[in-house]
Amino acid sequence: MQLLASYLSGSWSAGSGPKLALVNPSTEAVIAQAHAGGHDLAGAFGHARAAGARELGQLTFAQRGALLAGLAKAIHGAREELIALAVANGGNTRGDAKFDIDGGAATLSHYAELGGKLGKARLIGDGEPIQVGRTARMGGQHVWVRRRGVAVHINAFNFPSWGLCEKLACALLAGMPVIAKPATATALVAHRVVELFADLLPPGALQLLVGPAGTLLDHLGPGDVVAFTGGSATARMLRTHPAIVAHGVRLNIEADSLNAAVLAPDVAVTGEAGALFIADVVRDMTQKTGQKCTAIRRVLVPADRLAEVADAMRDRLARITVGDPAHPGVGMGPLATAQQRDDVRAGIARLAAATEAIHGGTGEVAPAGVAGGKGYFVGPVVRATQSPMTCAPLNEHEIFGPVTTLGAYDGEPGFAAELVARGDGCLVSSAYSDDRDWVAEFVAAAAPWAGRLYLGSSKMAAQSPGPGTALPSLLHGGPGRAGGGEELGGERGLHLYMQRCALEGDASVLKSLLGE
Ligand code: NAP
């Protein structure tokens, strides 16, 4: 049995105390263990603050970018091994695993390239020079400079590779050392990724804690950053953590999200934009068994089109085999943990009391390739309501699984935007329309409630990655329920790990500081 070690203060240590089990969610077999504690976390912070910060500070953006390129290459080199781990520990299909693993490598490569562009700069300019004196001689200039502290990265169970890499890419490029803490249940992939990375980075640049956070956050200080992805209950606890409050620690939260997809009245279900809409909704329900923070949970359809959309979805979903992803032909695996399965079932029960069944009942399924009733399986479930705006279980509870609900509406962009807002802030929402006036009205009203708006149409259908894919070049995060955080977005992703400072003085000195 593999005992997962943590990588702290430059060496691998297993910790001590009670052991936690990591299981295969298809078979419930225990495949690895990790100790629940017994690590020198104060020592780890000391190592990051001394060695990690010093080593990264000596490198230019271009050199740090080159390190990221090396990490992306290491993932590519171990791709098959990582995919096998994701299938076994995450219940991922091969496609799900590639989404996580290739997504991680692609994000590292994106930031490697950005590092090359930033070159030897020590400061990044923010906006244009400003005249603050009587003449142009006295100027002002905002700049970004790397923070002197430790970036603590706490990740959710669903993207053990991508989650680790997207946060790591931004922090390392900005020049901050990282202590990463993956979710325990699916830590096998993150653990292997850090094994691959450890010798490719300077001492102290990356450390890994496997197992519960324990006293990790107690060691935070004023220059530090916490980037968290996970549930809103954990996020609430972090917001009031004494060390975070006492030291004004910068905290970025990516949490729950009730993402919506809207079919506009001008779109025929059988046309190009309509086909994109159906494909995106079905993909988001089933990819990673619906365990994507960006997955579509609420679907608005013009009332006279609801039956047609329901038929198209039934048709697509009926062709997907649920079961052990190690079994040939399986298109959707189990949920990642027993807790996840219980939470999803409770969510479906709440939703079922307020909606009508369209597909999949309440998720009962006979999984392929699974013996003896094992595994955390829930089949794809589609529900429907004629009153989406007043359906509380739809708008107030994220079901983190293969579940979506169709809501009938009158086709008005204002109503659609109001439904987006009813989710109290989301990571992404989407609208499918070729009517530019409809889109303009929807965007103006919905954008304040979403970190990203995906605008599906006939013209972009052939090249679309779908709303569920977070891209390194675009912001990932959202207001309100989604946590209020921002990650990625190209250079913007570095800002979490940098301090903005307003410089004031001789305009020619300010110019020279930016290397101009
Ligand atoms: P979770 O239970 O909140 O756990 C997230 C992470 O927080 C895990 O690493 C967990 O560690 C850690 N954690 C738990 N208690 C902690 C504490 N007291 N101090 C410090 N860390 C602590 O969430 P999850 O079940 O893994 O993920 C599902 C949720 O994440 C869903 O609600 C989903 O919406 C959200 N999510 C959001 C995004 C996004 O980008 N917005 C992406 C993915 C998922 P252990 O595993 O060791 O308990």
Side-chain angles (χ1 to χ4, degrees):
M1 177 73 55
Q2 187 180 4
L3 181 62
L4 295 187
S6 294
Y7 183 61
L8 299 167
S9 301
S11 60
W12 291 92
S13 60
S16 58
K19 283 184 191 156
L20 303 168
L22 282 74
V23 304
N24 179 326
S26 298
T27 62
E28 299 181 37
V30 177
I31 52 176
Q33 291 177 316
H35 280 295
H39 298 289
D40 175 10
L41 299 175
F45 270 84
H47 184 54
R49 290 191 206 291
R54 181 189 62 239
E55 297 279 335
L56 289 168
Q58 286 167 358
L59 303 178
T60 62
F61 282 107
Q63 288 168 324
R64 296 196 291 257
L67 288 176
L68 299 182
L71 304 186
K73 204 168 153 204
I75 290 192
H76 283 303
R79 190 166 180 259
E80 286 305 317
E81 181 194 354
L82 291 169
I83 289 173
L85 290 176
V87 171
N89 187 207
N92 288 190
T93 63
R94 194 177 159 79
D96 293 342
K98 285 197 280 189
F99 189 58
D100 181 31
I101 291 157
D102 294 347
T107 307
L108 287 165
S109 298
H110 175 91
Y111 280 95
E113 210 171 294
L114 177 61
K117 284 188 195 141
L118 293 170
K120 289 185 180 161
R122 292 171 66 87
L123 304 172
I124 300 180
D126 175 48
E128 296 298 313
I130 302 157
Q131 180 176 327
V132 298
R134 193 166 34 82
T135 72
R137 188 176 295 174
M138 174 68 198
Q141 172 72 54
H142 292 95
V143 295
W144 292 101
V145 61
R146 86 185 172 99
R147 286 170 77 92
R148 305 298 157 88
V150 182
V152 174
H153 291 167
I154 302 176
N155 277 311
F157 69 82
N158 56 343
F159 282 103
S161 165
W162 180 83
L164 182 110
C165 293
E166 59 100 12
K167 286 183 170 63
L168 185 65
C170 293
L172 288 188
L173 188 58
M176 277 192 93
V178 170
I179 300 177
K181 195 215 107 41
T184 305
T186 59
L188 260 177
V189 170
H191 175 267
R192 183 66 191 126
V193 168
V194 175
E195 275 187 341
L196 295 167
F197 288 178
D199 292 339
L200 302 175
L201 290 169
L206 170 62
Q207 302 183 73
L208 172 78
L209 174 64
V210 178
T215 59
L216 181 69
L217 303 180
D218 296 349
H219 303 282
L220 290 166
D224 297 340
V225 173
V226 175
F228 167 80
T229 298
S232 49
T234 315
R236 260 195 302 280
M237 192 279 305
L238 295 187
R239 285 187 201 283
T240 56
H241 188 282
I244 291 180
V245 174
H247 300 297
V249 172
R250 193 176 279 181
L251 173 65
N252 193 76
I253 290 179
E254 303 288 344
D256 309 354
S257 186
L258 290 160
N259 313 301
V262 182
L263 186 70
D266 65 292
V267 172
V269 177
T270 50
E272 232 173 329
L276 177 69
F277 165 77
I278 298 289
D280 285 348
V281 174
V282 170
R283 186 200 302 110
D284 269 11
M285 282 186 71
T286 54
Q287 188 174 46
K288 288 223 148 230
T289 317
Q291 299 165 113
K292 275 192 324 191
C293 50
T294 50
I296 297 163
R297 311 290 178 197
R298 305 177 294 154
V299 183
L300 266 194
V301 181
D304 60 354
R305 226 73 62 76
L306 198 122
E308 192 184 358
V309 167
D311 283 346
M313 288 187 62
R314 273 193 207 100
D315 181 50
R316 295 285 293 262
L317 290 168
R319 289 185 247 150
I320 294 172
T321 304
V322 178
D324 181 346
H327 190 75
V330 164
M332 189 178 103
L335 294 160
T337 63
Q339 182 67 51
Q340 257 291 101
R341 177 202 54 200
D342 296 346
D343 289 351
V344 168
R345 283 194 178 150
I348 294 172
R350 246 188 335 251
L351 196 58
T355 56
E356 57 186 280
I358 295 291
H359 177 85
T362 52
E364 299 77 11
V365 70
V370 178
K374 292 286 187 190
Y376 312 134
F377 293 94
V378 172
V381 171
V382 184
R383 310 287 309 180
T385 173
Q386 294 298 321
S387 320
M389 201 68 85
T390 54
C391 183
L394 175 62
N395 295 306
E396 291 167 17
H397 301 280
E398 180 196 50
I399 304 177
F400 208 59
V403 183
T404 207
T405 301
L406 308 180
Y409 84 119
D410 57 7
E412 287 301 319
F415 184 98
E418 215 178 301
L419 187 94
V420 171
R422 181 77 176 79
D424 289 344
C426 62
L427 293 172
V428 56
S429 280
S430 45
Y432 298 75
S433 177
D434 290 318
D435 176 342
R436 290 187 181 200
D437 292 337
W438 192 99
V439 170
E441 210 172 311
F442 173 78
V443 167
W449 298 99
R452 179 162 55 93
L453 285 179
Y454 167 96
L455 306 172
S457 67
S458 311
K459 286 215 171 131
M460 53 72 95
Q463 326 182 7
S464 165
T469 301
L471 300 169
S473 50
L474 296 179
L475 278 182
H476 176 63
R481 184 193 301 277
E486 282 187 356
E487 290 182 336
L488 301 175
E491 195 179 304
R492 294 170 189 85
L494 305 190
H495 295 166
L496 178 60
Y497 304 101
M498 304 188 88
Q499 179 63 38
R500 182 163 33 198
C501 179
L503 301 178
E504 207 178 344
D506 175 346
S508 64
V509 171
L510 301 183
K511 235 173 155 183
S512 69
L513 285 170
L514 285 177
E516 290 169 15

